[in-house]
Amino acid sequence: MKKGHEPLPAGVDPCDRPGHGHQPLRFEEARARMIAAIAPLVGEEIAGLRDALGRVLARDVHSPLDVPAHRNSAMDGYALAGSDLPPQGHASLELAGTSWAGRPYAGAVARGQCVRIMTGAMLPEATDTVVMQEHVRLENGRVVIEAGHRAGENVRPVGEDIRRGDLALAAGAVLRPAQLGVLASLGVGQVAVRRRPRVAIFSTGDELVAIGEALAPGQIYDSNRYSLHGMLTRLPLEVIDLGVVKDTREDTRRAFETAAGQADAIITSGGVSVGDADYVTETLERHGRVGFWKVAMKPGKPIAFGRFGQAYFFGLPGNPVSAMVTFYQLVRPALLALAGAVDADPPIIVRAACATRLRKHPGRLEFQRGVLERLASGAYTVRSTGHQGAGVLRSMSEANCFIILPLEQGDVEPGTEVEVQPFAGLV
Ligand code: AMP
Ligand code: MG
């Protein structure tokens, strides 16, 4: 039995274990197994608010104060005691002064008086109501208010947004612009964020050439490292780019070791299938541990997951579209789990009428690339980006969504409803 494999019951052919031999693993099971295998990275650091954008909050943040800390006006208008509102007809009140945002009215407000007040300004003590300026008349220096107002209107109470001691943000939250705003509103200038996992990447393939070099016959530019770098930098991770590795057993093993020596996770592209120059799965089998390497999805049937040393290993297929699809659908959630992010971006799925015919064989879950549009009627429609070949990267660059077609689904006729996962929030 190969190193690192779990023992199998007697009589079971190792080649028939789902995900290993002929039998690919179901997509949902592959994703669940990846997430279950991952332990969030420990370690945290302090970050200033601006630098905390996109990072994972390491500890719960309880509010040190009430927000707002003072009763204040939601409108520009006139502050008065609700008991001075006229039950019918109108009331004529004396203007005692002005309360500005940040410059409260310092005097007392007697019965029959009101105070000019701006949005965000503190309410004077004896007042509890703000009448919008559009609803009053000024006559001979007095403020005339008609009946029909409600005591307490247009006032923001203390703690309306967040109360002192409340849980403002939970550990594991990914800090987005709104969360930075919430922290700033609490006067919090620094937060504990989780350490970013270090992710080492390299491409495998003798045919790969760096940008800037001329292409000899049979050579192509290494595009995967760029799309992968782009996808990774959207996540709370540190990327270590180890370049291109030749298709030899020795180069592949050395690259694995270099990567495992400095990273918490390793992501490669290419070499995970069963061709004569595919050394990635073999290296993982011999020197690491293979979780699985075959998933019933398209594109991306060969995708290896396992461990190498202490590092988690993700071997993406070489075809550029397959590499991107498997990254978004399987690797991204796993990396977020490694980064300690909780409930980050559960995929949004919408239903849309498919405007084009889609070719599909039953047997694999497919992530076709589509263009989702909202019609004037408010209904959604989706069409294919066209040629869906695993090497046709334009199908990704022209798309704004994945069309998700279930395992058993066959061809899709125009007009059929399909499930669509928008790229917004994902890419
Ligand atoms: P492989 O998975 O190594 O068999 O590669 C499958 C296909 O993807 C082949 O056509 C490769 O030339 C292509 N490919 C592999 N790696 C890359 C890369 N880094 N950038 C662009 N294409 C690649
Ligand atoms: Mg290759």
Side-chain angles (χ1 to χ4, degrees):
M1 182 175 301
K2 281 171 188 150
K3 185 182 157 216
H5 284 177
E6 302 148 27
L8 292 170
V12 173
D13 177 355
C15 287
D16 281 342
R17 262 209 308 157
H20 286 254
H22 305 294
Q23 247 181 298
L25 208 56
R26 284 180 71 103
F27 170 79
E28 295 78 7
E29 195 186 341
R31 177 140 78 176
R33 272 171 56 169
M34 266 187 183
I35 301 282
I38 284 175
L41 206 65
V42 287
E44 58 185 65
E45 58 201 41
I46 300 297
L49 222 44
R50 287 196 174 93
D51 295 333
L53 183 66
R55 302 290 299 268
V56 178
L57 193 64
R59 293 160 183 241
D60 289 348
V61 174
H62 292 271
S63 179
L65 40 84
D66 290 313
V67 181
H70 314 282
R71 272 189 328 154
N72 69 86
S73 178
M75 295 285 173
D76 294 325
Y78 294 85
L80 59 141
S83 54
D84 276 341
L85 286 170
Q88 65 256 319
H90 65 269
S92 168
L93 304 179
E94 185 190 343
L95 191 56
T98 302
S99 183
W100 305 87
R103 254 191 301 146
Y105 171 71
V109 182
R111 291 228 44 181
Q113 286 187 326
C114 66
V115 164
R116 171 93 175 110
I117 194 164
M118 309 305 161
T119 304
M122 236 175 111
L123 253 74
E125 209 164 296
T127 68
D128 60 7
T129 301
V130 172
V131 176
M132 281 169 72
Q133 63 187 25
E134 292 84 346
H135 293 171
V136 310
R137 274 193 331 271
L138 295 181
E139 276 178 19
N140 309 321
R142 292 184 72 86
V143 180
V144 179
I145 298 171
E146 301 293 333
H149 293 280
R150 183 179 54 79
E153 72 185 14
N154 299 322
V155 174
R156 300 167 174 160
V158 169
E160 179 187 51
D161 187 351
I162 301 170
R163 297 206 73 91
R164 182 201 304 252
D166 275 357
L167 180 64
L169 295 174
V174 177
L175 298 173
R176 304 191 188 291
Q179 282 78 10
L180 298 193
V182 166
L183 290 166
S185 76
L186 306 180
V188 173
Q190 293 187 319
V191 279
V193 292
R194 281 184 173 264
R195 178 165 88 74
R196 291 185 299 174
R198 281 187 287 264
V199 179
I201 62 173
F202 61 87
S203 297
T204 71
D206 287 341
E207 72 279 32
L208 302 178
V209 169
I211 297 170
E213 287 174 34
L215 291 180
Q219 293 184 324
I220 58 168
Y221 289 116
D222 172 11
S223 64
N224 285 348
R225 228 155 21 95
Y226 290 85
S227 44
L228 189 53
H229 187 272
M231 296 188 289
L232 288 168
T233 47
R234 300 271 203 218
L235 302 176
L237 307 167
E238 238 175 84
V239 183
I240 304 165
D241 189 339
L242 298 178
V244 176
V245 171
K246 290 283 174 209
D247 287 324
T248 74
R249 196 166 274 137
E250 188 48 33
D251 285 283
T252 308
R253 191 181 54 79
R254 219 175 312 119
F256 266 73
E257 279 165 5
T258 306
Q262 50 189 312
D264 304 296
I266 305 167
I267 305 178
T268 64
S269 78
V272 281
S273 151
V274 287
D276 291 341
D278 291 332
Y279 292 108
V280 171
T281 316
E282 183 196 289
T283 304
L284 194 64
E285 274 177 341
R286 288 193 177 187
H287 306 288
R289 277 164 291 160
V290 180
F292 55 80
W293 66 275
K294 262 192 192 174
V295 179
M297 66 186 286
K298 187 179 176 186
K301 183 171 170 193
I303 165 167
F305 172 62
R307 305 274 315 231
F308 191 87
Q310 289 303 304
Y312 294 98
F313 179 83
F314 306 92
L316 307 181
N319 273 308
V321 179
S322 311
M324 292 195 77
V325 171
T326 49
F327 179 88
Y328 283 128
Q329 299 299 337
L330 289 171
V331 181
R332 184 179 181 273
L335 292 174
L336 283 167
L338 181 62
V342 177
D343 287 337
D345 302 326
I348 295 172
I349 307 285
V350 298
R351 296 189 69 83
C354 192
T356 47
R357 183 162 193 273
L358 305 178
R359 295 188 52 79
K360 160 95 170 59
H361 292 299
R364 289 201 262 168
L365 179 70
E366 282 198 28
F367 296 92
Q368 299 203 4
R369 280 74 64 206
V371 180
L372 181 66
E373 266 176 293
R374 190 168 181 270
L375 302 174
S377 67
Y380 281 95
T381 175
V382 68
R383 64 183 158 82
S384 171
T385 52
H387 189 18
Q388 295 286 310
V392 181
L393 203 45
R394 234 158 42 108
S395 73
M396 274 302 292
S397 72
E398 290 174 2
N400 66 5
C401 68
F402 288 121
I403 303 170
I404 304 180
L405 302 175
L407 190 89
E408 295 312 335
Q409 170 87 50
D411 289 346
V412 173
E413 297 306 325
T416 312
E417 263 208 350
V418 289
E419 290 203 329
V420 168
Q421 180 182 26
F423 283 174
L426 179 71
V427 302

